[in-house]
């Protein structure tokens, strides 16, 4: 289960509308508890994929390190990531799975159809290692 505030939830969806028809991406910060992750803030990232920005996203590792460091100063950990799917359903693709490496983290996907955010889903990256990792459906509770 992923708990997220209405403000952060709306910001994620708004980000996808802003970058349409390209994908947006960002990081979820907060606390990881036993069965749930609680998002307390989000960090927008620039999509560094210039070859195919409408259906790929990539976060610069240096940007990720900076976000992680700033989060720790506020007592927040990286607990997940988000990106948008312009004119494509809010389901993970094989590429999304291949490029997801943070086991135990949440991956939020928002479908943006003709510039309007529609469905937002979350998936938890489960498994023990790279070989048996899976993206499992995860409930989002907007609080
Ligand atoms: Zn995707």
């Amino acid at each position: 289960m992923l708990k997220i505030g209405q403000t952060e939830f709306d910001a994620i969806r708004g980000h996808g509308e802003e970058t349409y028809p390209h994908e947006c991406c960002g990081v979820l910060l907060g606390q990881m508890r036993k069965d749930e992750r609680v998002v307390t803030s989000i960090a927008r990232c620039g999509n560094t994929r210039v070859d195919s920005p409408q259906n790929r996203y990539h976060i610069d590792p240096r940007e990720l390190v900076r976000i992680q460091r700033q989060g720790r100063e506020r007592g927040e950990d990286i607990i997940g990531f988000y990106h948008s799917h312009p004119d494509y359903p809010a389901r993970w693709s094989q590429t999304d799975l291949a490029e997801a490496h943070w086991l135990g983290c949440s991956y939020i996907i928002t479908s943006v159809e003709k510039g309007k955010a529609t469905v937002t889903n979350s998936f938890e990256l489960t498994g023990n290692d790279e070989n048996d990792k899976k993206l499992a459906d995860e409930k989002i509770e907007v609080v």
Side-chain angles (χ1 to χ4, degrees), residues 48-142:
T48 59
R49 282 296 287 251
V50 287
D51 53 333
S52 186
Q54 56 280 79
N55 57 12
R56 290 279 192 283
Y57 74 101
H58 180 259
I59 298 171
D60 184 336
R62 285 164 302 187
E63 196 174 9
L64 198 53
V65 167
R66 182 179 53 76
I67 289 167
Q68 187 167 40
R69 195 171 47 225
Q70 289 173 348
R72 283 201 180 129
E73 286 167 8
R74 297 188 303 260
E76 296 174 323
D77 291 316
I78 291 178
I79 59 166
F81 301 88
Y82 70 87
H83 72 284
S84 63
H85 278 178
D87 297 317
Y88 195 79
R91 306 296 309 176
W92 53 270
S93 64
Q94 285 304 326
T95 309
D96 288 334
L97 177 61
E99 294 180 355
H101 305 294
W102 291 56
L103 293 168
C105 276
S106 295
Y107 287 78
I108 289 182
I109 300 174
T110 297
S111 176
V112 183
E113 291 172 30
K114 299 191 178 84
K116 278 301 282 176
T118 56
V119 180
T120 296
N121 287 324
S122 184
F123 307 93
E124 180 189 352
L125 188 66
T126 60
N128 299 311
D129 55 43
E130 280 288 316
N131 298 318
D132 79 339
K133 67 182 182 181
K134 283 187 197 69
L135 280 167
D137 289 4
E138 175 178 58
K139 193 174 178 291
I140 300 178
E141 191 181 305
V142 181

Side-chain angles (χ1 to χ4, degrees), residues 10-20 24-26 44-45 82 84:
D10 291 344
I12 286 173
R13 292 165 56 80
H15 192 191
E17 293 181 347
E18 271 176 47
T19 60
Y20 181 89
C24 72
C25 55
R44 289 174 166 222
C45 295
Y82 70 87
S84 63

